[in-house]
Amino acid sequence: MWKGPWYVLELRVLDLSKNNLTGIIPSVGNARKLMTFDLSDNRINGNIPKEIVLFNLSSLHTASLAISSLSGPILLDEKNAFSNLKMMLRYLSVGANPLNGVLPGAIGNLSSVIEIFDIAYAHINGLIPTGIGNLTSLTTLYLESNNLRGSIPSEVGKLKQLQGLNLSNNNLDGHIPQEVCQLSNLVVLALDNNELSGMIP
């Protein structure tokens, strides 16, 4: 179990994945040069470190915290609307954790260059926020096997680079938006096991 913050200011890569680590994730806010942060496939609990989601790690390229026991909300601050201009984050995986929260409206401020966002199997509730359309560099979006409800926002049509979209195993309803047909790079579209209705566009 870890205690206390990290003080290794020059650290670029921290990979402790696939162990049996427990306890909470200590503060990594001092490791400002951190580019890769991988603690996936452990038994870590507590909340996702605020330094990751509130943009304090401006050099972070890859963050993987999947397959663990993290809980609590996904903290995104609406005030950080322009923080994405300095973010390098391209890969964020927090899936397979019992987060039991909602996708905040500020998800669109996450990063203008993020390419892969995985939050599958995370007990996420509520709606898919329209701000998802701001993540225009996304190539892969995994939101499957959650408790999402409501309709698929038409803003997904803005994700022109999207190659994989998985919204299966949720409680989504309404029509499949016409804008999905504008995703010319799409290779995989999974909408199974929802409550969608109407005609296929």
Side-chain angles (χ1 to χ4, degrees):
M1 182 181 295
W2 297 325
K3 292 182 179 179
W6 288 86
Y7 290 104
V8 277
L9 304 182
E10 297 298 320
L11 191 67
R12 270 34 173 217
V13 176
L14 176 60
D15 187 347
L16 300 173
S17 60
K18 298 181 181 179
N19 282 288
N20 291 307
L21 297 172
T22 60
I24 64 173
I25 302 173
S27 174
V28 292
N30 291 312
R32 296 298 178 89
K33 296 182 181 180
L34 194 64
M35 299 178 66
T36 298
F37 185 49
D38 191 345
L39 301 180
S40 60
D41 207 351
N42 278 288
R43 293 187 290 142
I44 297 167
N45 54 32
N47 293 335
I48 298 173
K50 65 180 181 179
E51 293 93 346
I52 292 178
V53 292
L54 293 182
F55 315 107
N56 290 349
L57 301 178
S58 57
S59 296
L60 196 64
H61 181 283
T62 298
S64 182
L65 304 173
I67 317 175
S68 207
S69 299
L70 296 170
S71 59
I74 303 169
L75 298 172
L76 288 173
D77 192 344
E78 296 281 358
K79 296 179 181 179
N80 281 318
F82 300 103
S83 295
N84 59 345
L85 297 177
K86 65 179 182 180
M87 282 293 288
M88 299 297 293
L89 189 64
R90 293 182 182 274
Y91 178 93
L92 176 60
S93 176
V94 293
N97 281 292
L99 295 177
N100 288 311
V102 299
L103 285 177
I107 197 73
N109 301 333
L110 188 58
S111 171
S112 60
V113 296
I114 191 167
E115 296 175 2
I116 299 175
F117 183 32
D118 175 9
I119 194 169
Y121 296 92
H123 304 275
I124 298 297
N125 306 297
L127 307 175
I128 300 175
T130 57
I132 203 79
N134 293 339
L135 307 180
T136 52
S137 294
L138 272 180
T139 61
T140 304
L141 178 60
Y142 294 143
L143 296 175
E144 75 268 23
S145 298
N146 283 295
N147 301 309
L148 295 169
R149 57 180 174 80
S151 60
I152 301 172
S154 61
E155 283 77 7
V156 297
K158 298 179 181 179
L159 307 178
K160 302 299 185 182
Q161 306 303 316
L162 205 60
Q163 299 175 27
L165 176 61
N166 194 334
L167 304 177
S168 62
N169 296 308
N170 280 288
N171 299 308
L172 299 170
D173 57 24
H175 297 171
I176 300 173
Q178 181 73 32
E179 287 77 6
V180 170
C181 301
Q182 300 172 8
L183 302 176
S184 58
N185 290 308
L186 202 60
V187 177
V188 175
L189 175 62
L191 304 177
D192 53 292
N193 288 316
N194 280 289
E195 299 176 14
L196 300 171
S197 59
M199 298 180 64
I200 300 174

